[in-house]
Amino acid sequence: MKRSRSVILATVTALVAGGAATWFAGNAQAATACATAWNSSAVYVKGNVVSLAGHNYTAKWWTQNESPSVRSGQWDVWADNGVCEGGVNPSPSSSPSSSPSTSPSSSPSSSPSSSPSSSPSTSQSPSNGALPAHFITGYWQNFDNGAAPLKLADVPAAYDLIAVAFADATTTAGAVTFNLDPGLATAVGGYTDAQFKADIATLHARGKKVIISVGGEKGTVAVNSTAAATAFADSVHSLIRTYGFDGVDIDLENGLNPTYMASALRSLRAKAGSNLIITMAPQTIDMQSPQSSYFKLALDIKDILTVVFTQYYNSGSMLGCDNNAAYSQGTVNFLTALACIPLQNGLRPDQIALGLPASTRAAGGGYVAPSVVNAALDCLARGTNCGTFKPPATYPGIRGAMTWSINWDVTNGTSWANTVDPHLATLP
């Protein structure tokens, strides 16, 4: 229905006569004040509010030097709260933390998708553990399954970080313990707790780090309550003090609760100190979306997390970060397209490593020659040696690679470590 011109003019006249200005002033919504301006050198944690270019943004997790203007997508660190006006909000809902309790002694690096990161000379992760800028990790098998049985001191020198597989569950929910496997001890001609501890000290003297891995394919450890989180932190800390472990690896392949596990890991770090190494070894499916429990855990503890080495095997074809096609496992495309998912969704390059089997016997599928591992690292770090998929950015700080397992690598003539380790020294 249309109104006549005379009716419209009469209405306008009435509004003016009746104080239209007063009506608009009383009914217009007050503009949101701009929060404190974003600072590239400041550390922000979940809930912190900043402003940039006339918009307010809220941090979803720990972040530093990740601009809200380029990291405010659906899966990015910043949530865009919309337009703001005027000066700084005198009472922002939260403020940035320049030195949180979990603050690193050195500033972590970051790598926004719009620009490459720089490669640190040593780990810039808050849980640095004095690890190299690029390094390889291997799992040491505390069991005998046909791979070469080894004492810890016999681990090849190429390995920088050794994950002892695995801790054992106890009858107390969340609690773990460690027991040398009798079958392994027999296979290596005898192995005692005292010798095991001495071997850890030997590896330390060689500049290596040793962590205890929790979980595995058959692991039954569950941290699903406050009490279980406390038991986990207390028991792992006890193992660290007893054996000299440098940290813990979370390899829970049967699900985890990110809330309680995050609480457990923060409690453990408070007990063990800032040099505690915290690693994660999720299955490929666990790192497909930031909303999955494993991925959420990684983001929730980003400020204390050392590195995630996703198991890029035993998974079949999976979508990559381009979300356009399913990439087949066992290819350079698979490694680079899937590794860029966490790289584009909140984790720093120095928190990402590629997890691969050391031989065809080490996994049911997904083995690639170590030369392909090197090509994938080149593609991610420099944008060279890529397959048909090329990541949207380069990540010079990419941390390195992990293999299952050291024992299978030794069985195969240590070709995996002897090929990948020298190549790491060529990365930026």
Side-chain angles (χ1 to χ4, degrees), residues 88-346:
V88 174
N89 187 342
S91 302
S93 60
S94 55
S95 58
S97 170
S98 58
S99 56
S101 60
T102 54
S103 169
S105 57
S106 59
S107 298
S109 64
S110 66
S111 176
S113 59
S114 60
S115 61
S117 65
S118 59
S119 177
S121 58
T122 58
S123 167
Q124 294 186 25
S125 163
S127 307
N128 57 57
L131 288 164
H134 307 291
F135 64 88
I136 64 171
T137 302
Y139 283 84
W140 174 83
Q141 296 180 182
N142 181 37
F143 48 86
D144 182 9
N145 67 343
L150 298 170
K151 292 183 179 181
L152 264 184
D154 295 328
V155 168
Y159 288 95
D160 302 293
L161 179 63
I162 297 95
V164 170
F166 295 100
D168 300 312
T170 73
T171 55
T172 300
V176 299
T177 188
F178 177 75
N179 301 284
L180 278 172
D181 180 70
L184 170 70
T186 299
V188 296
Y191 207 19
T192 66
D193 248 23
Q195 291 170 328
F196 180 78
K197 294 175 187 177
D199 280 357
I200 291 179
T202 296
L203 289 172
H204 285 162
R206 296 172 184 168
K208 310 301 181 181
K209 300 296 180 181
V210 185
I211 57 178
I212 181 68
S213 182
V214 178
E217 179 186 5
K218 300 178 181 179
T220 58
V221 177
V223 180
N224 296 323
S225 68
T226 299
T230 299
F232 181 89
D234 289 345
S235 60
V236 173
H237 187 231
S238 177
L239 293 180
I240 288 172
R241 289 182 300 170
T242 299
Y243 292 97
F245 292 121
D246 298 289
V248 64
D249 171 59
I250 307 303
D251 184 17
L252 298 175
E253 299 181 13
N254 298 302
L256 59 77
N257 183 305
T259 300
Y260 292 115
M261 181 54 77
S263 173
L265 292 172
R266 290 193 179 279
S267 177
L268 175 61
R269 190 174 190 269
K271 296 173 183 290
S274 61
N275 281 330
L276 178 74
I277 295 171
I278 299 176
T279 68
M280 296 169 58
Q283 298 175 100
T284 310
I285 189 65
D286 295 325
M287 296 300 286
Q288 283 280 286
S289 166
Q291 295 179 332
S292 68
S293 59
Y294 237 115
F295 207 141
K296 186 177 186 305
L297 173 63
L299 294 174
D300 287 349
I301 64 165
K302 178 179 175 180
D303 55 313
I304 62 172
L305 175 65
T306 307
V307 66
V308 177
F309 18 75
T310 303
Q311 301 175 38
Y312 292 123
Y313 51 94
N314 290 342
S315 60
S317 298
M318 304 288 286
L319 288 174
C321 67
D322 56 351
N323 209 34
N324 290 328
Y327 294 95
S328 300
Q329 69 176 357
T331 64
V332 68
N333 281 341
F334 184 86
L335 299 180
T336 54
L338 271 71
C340 94
I341 296 176
L343 287 166
Q344 292 296 110
N345 289 282

Side-chain angles (χ1 to χ4, degrees), residues 408-421:
W408 282 116
D409 189 23
V410 171
T411 304
N412 203 37
T414 322
S415 64
W416 194 91
N418 288 344
T419 303
V420 177
D421 182 56

